[in-house]
Amino acid sequence: PPPGRGQAGPAAGQRRPEPENDWDGPQPEETHPFFTGADTPVPARGRRDEDDDRYDESDDAYDDHGGDGDRRGDGKKKGRSGRACLVVAVVLLGVVGGVSYVGYNFYQDRFGPPPDFSGSGTGAVQIVVPEGASGAEIAALLVKGGVVKSQGAFVEAQKDNPKGDTIQAGVYTLGTGMSGQNAVTKMLDPKSQDVLIVAPGWRNGQVYAAIDKRLGVKDGTTKAVAKSQLKTLGLPDWAQNNGKIKDPLEGFLLPGNYGVAKGTKPEAALKQMVTRADDAYTKADLVGEAEKRGLRDPWQLLTVASLVQAEGKTHDDFRKMSEVVYNRLKPTNTETNQLLQFDSTFNYLKGQSKIDLTEAEVNGNHDPYNTYTVKGLPPGPIGNPGPDALAAAVNPTSDGWMYFVATDGADKTEFAKTNAEFEKLKDKFNDNKGLGG
């Protein structure tokens, strides 16, 4: 470009020396105030000269060749700069303050304690916790019921409590406006649990009566519902129903704790139990295990489990009791000739629980459930087995056990492999009975 005004160009016939690169040649003097440290001049609003790149000096402005040197020392200029610095400082303080406020709120949202009530609760509200509910799901139910203020309040309190993860399914009576800590403590207190407990080995008749009592309905209501709505309760395909089976639902009211609150319909309570039983039996693979044990179907395996539950007294008894059942079912059994001879099956058909049966009463009865007179398994389960009995039914011992006697008449069961050993156990039982044991 042509040289600017006030700058000399090269002499005629001479060429300006070319720099070896972009940075070796002479560099123009830096005049920008950012680098020189000078105050930034503010051009006056003047008339633009059409023929020059300058403002009209009559307007007391400076041109692009340099500012008015007298103005650099002007006190007004310094005052203006001071005021500008003050404004910048105030703006910066405002920005810093705003950032701090936002940061504090962000910290509270991310890391601060969750919203929580401080009281122990008032009134009474029932909360139904379903099977398998997580802490967050329980917390959501509590928030919906007005028990706690936020899910986080309950979840954090549950984590802080060493037993917090032991809260089980069921119906809980709690208050509204409880702190998360108080809610967790209350739910861990058995007194707050409004649940129906089905014990291992309970017969269906006991379960029906317990449901009637819990719901406050007429005796026999749940039993009638079980009979009339059997097909809608969710039984698996392998469940059976024929004229010999006394209750097709026997064995499917799985032991455990159930949330059966006031106002629940009997069919809802029954469906809850059947669904849980079906899940448990599917996980245990009753279909495959029945085949391994040489049984006809999982229905028979469930029946074996119910016998083990009814006859066994302790956890250690169950596997031995299971072996006794399988050994007596064998075609090669010449000890009892495939007769199980279990008191529990006779008691089931009679709706009783006697331990000392007479030969006359058992030998004179030929009901399919009387295993003293009918070979093989009874037509169906005689109760609802718990998990230990079910596990024993699929994994019996293999020691050759064929007999057993509750020698103390109550809690102690002893086992034998031969008839001679069995007779000694019978004598021991009779001796204890004579002593009132």
Side-chain angles (χ1 to χ4, degrees):
R5 292 180 175 82
Q7 295 178 349
Q14 294 182 353
R15 296 187 63 184
R16 180 176 296 172
E18 294 290 336
E20 295 181 4
N21 49 50
D22 291 343
W23 55 85
D24 285 341
Q27 300 296 317
E29 181 180 357
E30 188 58 65
T31 60
H32 196 284
F34 181 85
F35 298 98
T36 63
D39 290 334
T40 303
V42 180
R45 295 181 181 178
R47 178 173 50 82
R48 189 79 173 183
D49 193 318
E50 296 178 357
D51 299 326
D52 199 351
D53 193 27
R54 296 178 299 174
Y55 284 93
D56 191 344
E57 293 183 2
S58 62
D59 290 331
D60 197 25
Y62 68 96
D63 62 17
D64 59 358
H65 294 291
D68 187 347
D70 294 336
R71 287 188 175 273
R72 291 178 182 174
D74 194 331
K76 292 182 181 180
K77 186 71 175 181
K78 293 182 179 179
R80 189 183 301 124
S81 299
R83 286 195 297 272
C85 291
L86 178 61
V87 171
V88 170
V90 171
V91 171
L92 287 175
L93 286 173
V95 171
V96 172
V99 170
S100 299
Y101 176 77
V102 172
Y104 173 79
N105 285 336
F106 178 84
Y107 181 87
Q108 286 293 98
D109 289 342
R110 299 294 181 181
F111 307 106
D116 198 3
F117 293 126
S118 59
S120 57
T122 59
V125 58
Q126 280 192 333
I127 301 296
V128 179
V129 177
E131 185 72 20
S134 66
E137 291 169 334
I138 296 174
L141 293 172
L142 296 178
V143 171
K144 185 177 180 181
V147 177
V148 297
K149 193 170 186 178
S150 68
Q151 287 182 252
F154 179 82
V155 172
E156 289 300 318
Q158 188 182 28
K159 290 179 180 178
D160 292 340
N161 193 304
K163 296 182 179 180
D165 60 354
T166 64
I167 295 176
Q168 298 181 358
V171 181
Y172 295 83
T173 301
L174 305 169
T176 57
M178 301 181 73
S179 68
Q181 182 180 1
N182 283 331
V184 171
T185 302
K186 186 74 172 176
M187 295 185 78
L188 291 172
D189 184 357
K191 295 179 180 178
S192 70
Q193 299 182 32
D194 190 12
V195 296
L196 173 63
I197 300 175
V198 176
W202 271 20
R203 300 170 186 167
N204 278 8
Q206 294 171 278
V207 182
Y208 297 150
I211 295 175
D212 287 344
K213 183 177 180 181
R214 172 54 59 93
L215 300 182
V217 297
K218 183 180 178 181
D219 291 348
T221 299
T222 303
K223 182 178 181 179
V225 169
K227 184 177 181 179
S228 64
Q229 300 191 29
L230 179 66
K231 295 182 179 180
T232 65
L233 297 178
L235 289 170
D237 295 337
W238 50 264
Q240 298 182 19
N241 183 18
N242 58 57
K244 294 181 179 180
I245 297 172
K246 297 192 179 300
D247 185 349
L249 207 58
E250 194 77 67
F252 288 96
L253 304 184
L254 194 73
N257 297 346
Y258 295 92
V260 182
K262 297 286 185 181
T264 302
K265 293 184 178 180
E267 54 266 35
L270 293 173
K271 186 175 293 187
Q272 184 183 170
M273 296 176 185
V274 172
T275 299
R276 195 183 297 183
D278 189 26
D279 290 342
Y281 298 158
T282 299
K283 291 178 181 178
D285 188 22
L286 261 61
V287 175
E289 294 296 339
E291 185 177 352
K292 292 178 183 178
R293 302 308 315 169
L295 299 172
R296 186 178 65 242
D297 48 40
W299 180 261
Q300 285 194 328
L301 182 56
L302 182 59
T303 301
V304 172
S306 71
L307 296 175
V308 169
Q309 183 72 67
E311 293 286 357
K313 298 296 187 296
T314 66
H315 174 79
D316 293 335
D317 290 346
F318 289 152
R319 291 188 64 211
K320 294 179 180 179
M321 193 67 64
S322 180
E323 185 186 357
V324 170
V325 174
Y326 289 122
N327 284 340
R328 291 194 181 187
L329 290 176
K330 290 178 180 179
T332 56
N333 169 23
T334 58
E335 294 285 337
T336 66
N337 297 313
Q338 293 181 279
L339 290 170
L340 292 180
Q341 298 178 333
F342 281 13
D343 291 356
S344 56
T345 61
F346 185 82
N347 283 330
Y348 177 79
L349 75 91
K350 288 292 187 178
Q352 63 187 22
S353 297
K354 293 174 62 176
I355 194 172
D356 190 12
L357 301 174
T358 65
E359 291 186 8
E361 62 182 323
V362 296
N363 291 333
N365 186 300
H366 295 276
D367 186 279
Y369 280 83
N370 183 5
T371 55
Y372 279 97
T373 58
V374 179
K375 293 182 179 181
L377 292 169
I382 61 171
N384 294 285
D388 288 345
L390 188 64
V394 302
N395 185 30
T397 57
S398 56
D399 300 323
W401 303 117
M402 185 66 72
Y403 301 93
F404 63 92
V405 176
T407 52
D408 66 347
D411 301 320
K412 185 177 180 180
T413 302
E414 297 187 59
F415 294 82
K417 298 177 182 179
T418 65
N419 187 66
E421 293 174 349
F422 171 62
E423 291 297 330
K424 292 180 180 179
L425 294 179
K426 285 175 62 178
D427 291 339
K428 189 174 182 178
F429 167 76
N430 290 329
D431 291 341
N432 287 333
K433 184 175 64 174
L435 296 173

